[in-house]
Amino acid sequence: MYELKTKETDNSVIEFIEAVDNPKKREDAYKLLDIFTEATGYEAKMWGPSIIGFGSYHYVYKTGHEGDAPLVGFSPRKAKISLYFAPGDTAREETLAKFGKHTSGKACVYINKVADIDVDVLKQLIDQSIDFLRRTYPDGN
Protein backbone atom coordinates (compact mmCIF):
# COMPACT_ATOMS: atom_id res chain seq x y z
CA MET A 1 0.00 0.00 0.00
CA TYR A 2 1.36 3.42 -0.96
CA GLU A 3 1.99 5.65 2.06
CA LEU A 4 1.46 9.38 1.62
CA LYS A 5 4.51 11.43 2.57
CA THR A 6 2.71 14.75 2.81
CA LYS A 7 0.23 14.54 5.65
CA GLU A 8 -1.16 17.20 7.93
CA THR A 9 0.90 17.46 11.12
CA ASP A 10 0.64 19.27 14.45
CA ASN A 11 3.95 21.07 13.87
CA SER A 12 3.93 24.83 14.41
CA VAL A 13 3.61 26.97 11.28
CA ILE A 14 5.21 29.94 13.09
CA GLU A 15 8.18 27.83 14.26
CA PHE A 16 8.65 26.59 10.69
CA ILE A 17 8.61 30.14 9.29
CA GLU A 18 10.97 31.35 12.03
CA ALA A 19 13.43 28.63 10.98
CA VAL A 20 13.64 29.98 7.40
CA ASP A 21 17.27 31.15 7.02
CA ASN A 22 16.80 33.98 4.55
CA PRO A 23 15.24 37.03 6.31
CA LYS A 24 13.55 38.30 3.11
CA LYS A 25 12.08 34.85 2.41
CA ARG A 26 10.90 34.66 6.05
CA GLU A 27 9.22 38.07 5.67
CA ASP A 28 7.55 36.90 2.44
CA ALA A 29 6.39 33.71 4.19
CA TYR A 30 4.59 35.84 6.80
CA LYS A 31 3.03 37.95 4.02
CA LEU A 32 1.84 34.79 2.26
CA LEU A 33 0.55 33.39 5.55
CA ASP A 34 -1.65 36.49 5.94
CA ILE A 35 -2.80 36.44 2.29
CA PHE A 36 -3.67 32.72 2.24
CA THR A 37 -5.38 32.86 5.66
CA GLU A 38 -7.50 35.84 4.62
CA ALA A 39 -8.34 34.42 1.18
CA THR A 40 -9.24 30.91 2.36
CA GLY A 41 -10.68 31.50 5.81
CA TYR A 42 -8.76 28.42 6.96
CA GLU A 43 -6.15 28.17 9.69
CA ALA A 44 -2.67 27.36 8.39
CA LYS A 45 -1.45 23.81 9.06
CA MET A 46 1.86 22.14 8.36
CA TRP A 47 1.69 19.37 5.75
CA GLY A 48 4.78 17.20 5.93
CA PRO A 49 7.96 18.94 7.01
CA SER A 50 7.81 21.99 4.74
CA ILE A 51 4.39 22.81 3.23
CA ILE A 52 2.02 25.31 4.84
CA GLY A 53 -1.46 24.23 3.77
CA PHE A 54 -4.96 25.64 4.08
CA GLY A 55 -8.08 23.51 4.26
CA SER A 56 -8.05 19.97 2.93
CA TYR A 57 -9.81 17.68 0.52
CA HIS A 58 -9.97 13.94 0.00
CA TYR A 59 -9.24 12.70 -3.50
CA VAL A 60 -9.75 9.34 -5.16
CA TYR A 61 -8.11 8.74 -8.52
CA LYS A 62 -9.44 6.33 -11.18
CA THR A 63 -6.52 4.05 -10.27
CA GLY A 64 -7.97 3.71 -6.76
CA HIS A 65 -5.16 5.75 -5.20
CA GLU A 66 -6.60 8.13 -2.64
CA GLY A 67 -5.49 10.53 0.03
CA ASP A 68 -5.84 13.94 1.60
CA ALA A 69 -4.15 17.14 0.52
CA PRO A 70 -4.38 20.84 1.35
CA LEU A 71 -6.72 22.87 -0.87
CA VAL A 72 -3.92 25.40 -1.40
CA GLY A 73 -0.58 26.11 0.23
CA PHE A 74 2.95 27.39 -0.06
CA SER A 75 6.49 26.59 0.99
CA PRO A 76 9.39 29.04 1.34
CA ARG A 77 12.06 26.79 -0.23
CA LYS A 78 15.74 27.73 -0.47
CA ALA A 79 15.71 28.47 -4.21
CA LYS A 80 12.17 29.79 -4.74
CA ILE A 81 8.84 30.02 -2.97
CA SER A 82 6.50 27.24 -4.08
CA LEU A 83 2.78 28.01 -4.28
CA TYR A 84 0.50 24.97 -4.39
CA PHE A 85 -2.74 25.06 -6.34
CA ALA A 86 -5.11 22.41 -7.73
CA PRO A 87 -3.52 20.16 -10.33
CA GLY A 88 -5.64 19.94 -13.47
CA ASP A 89 -7.32 23.35 -13.23
CA THR A 90 -7.30 24.54 -16.85
CA ALA A 91 -8.42 28.09 -15.91
CA ARG A 92 -5.17 28.64 -14.02
CA GLU A 93 -3.04 29.39 -17.11
CA GLU A 94 -5.23 32.32 -18.09
CA THR A 95 -5.04 33.82 -14.59
CA LEU A 96 -1.27 33.26 -14.41
CA ALA A 97 -0.84 35.49 -17.47
CA LYS A 98 -1.68 38.45 -15.16
CA PHE A 99 0.24 37.13 -12.12
CA GLY A 100 3.71 38.61 -12.55
CA LYS A 101 7.15 37.00 -12.58
CA HIS A 102 6.85 33.23 -12.01
CA THR A 103 7.47 29.77 -13.42
CA SER A 104 5.07 26.88 -13.10
CA GLY A 105 4.85 23.12 -12.99
CA LYS A 106 1.91 20.69 -12.78
CA ALA A 107 0.57 21.80 -9.38
CA CYS A 108 3.16 24.37 -8.33
CA VAL A 109 3.83 27.95 -9.21
CA TYR A 110 7.28 29.23 -8.28
CA ILE A 111 8.11 32.82 -7.36
CA ASN A 112 11.27 34.53 -6.12
CA LYS A 113 9.50 37.04 -3.90
CA VAL A 114 6.05 38.47 -3.17
CA ALA A 115 7.08 41.84 -4.67
CA ASP A 116 7.29 40.12 -8.10
CA ILE A 117 3.60 39.21 -8.19
CA ASP A 118 0.16 40.81 -8.17
CA VAL A 119 -1.38 39.93 -4.77
CA ASP A 120 -4.93 40.38 -6.10
CA VAL A 121 -4.20 37.81 -8.81
CA LEU A 122 -2.76 35.49 -6.13
CA LYS A 123 -6.09 35.75 -4.27
CA GLN A 124 -7.88 34.91 -7.54
CA LEU A 125 -5.66 31.85 -8.00
CA ILE A 126 -6.41 30.72 -4.44
CA ASP A 127 -10.18 31.13 -4.95
CA GLN A 128 -10.07 29.41 -8.35
CA SER A 129 -8.13 26.47 -6.96
CA ILE A 130 -10.50 25.95 -4.04
CA ASP A 131 -13.58 26.24 -6.30
CA PHE A 132 -12.06 23.76 -8.77
CA LEU A 133 -11.26 21.21 -6.05
CA ARG A 134 -14.71 21.52 -4.47
CA ARG A 135 -16.31 20.86 -7.88
CA THR A 136 -13.89 18.02 -8.70
CA TYR A 137 -14.08 16.31 -5.29
CA PRO A 138 -17.49 17.37 -3.89
CA ASP A 139 -17.46 14.72 -1.15
CA GLY A 140 -13.86 15.33 -0.22
CA ASN A 141 -13.81 18.46 1.94
Side-chain angles (χ1 to χ4, degrees):
M1 183 75 182
Y2 176 79
E3 182 67 21
L4 274 176
K5 291 183 189 83
T6 308
K7 294 181 182 171
E8 186 179 319
T9 71
D10 290 328
N11 296 346
S12 166
V13 170
I14 300 302
E15 284 178 21
F16 172 70
I17 293 174
E18 283 299 315
V20 171
D21 287 340
N22 182 318
K24 293 249 185 265
K25 202 156 274 179
R26 190 175 331 122
E27 186 181 319
D28 275 352
Y30 278 117
K31 285 179 189 169
L32 289 170
L33 179 62
D34 288 344
I35 293 164
F36 274 79
T37 301
E38 180 187 319
T40 65
Y42 290 106
E43 180 185 348
K45 300 279 188 179
M46 290 303 301
W47 285 75
S50 61
I51 296 173
I52 299 169
F54 299 82
S56 67
Y57 70 100
H58 186 78
Y59 59 86
V60 180
Y61 294 144
K62 289 181 179 104
T63 61
H65 174 78
E66 64 181 289
D68 297 299
L71 289 166
V72 290
F74 70 92
S75 184
R77 309 254 184 217
K78 279 205 188 311
K80 294 190 182 262
I81 297 169
S82 301
L83 307 174
Y84 297 94
F85 301 112
D89 181 4
T90 53
R92 186 174 76 188
E93 286 308 309
E94 193 177 315
T95 308
L96 281 173
K98 305 173 280 186
F99 188 49
K101 188 176 170 186
H102 73 281
T103 56
S104 58
K106 192 173 178 181
C108 291
V109 174
Y110 306 98
I111 63 171
N112 290 318
K113 55 189 182 287
V114 174
D116 287 344
I117 61 165
D118 183 322
V119 171
D120 289 331
V121 176
L122 173 58
K123 290 176 184 174
Q124 261 184 282
L125 287 163
I126 292 167
D127 289 345
Q128 260 178 238
S129 187
I130 291 171
D131 289 346
F132 173 81
L133 288 168
R134 286 195 173 133
R135 283 193 318 273
T136 307
Y137 303 100
D139 300 327
N141 53 54

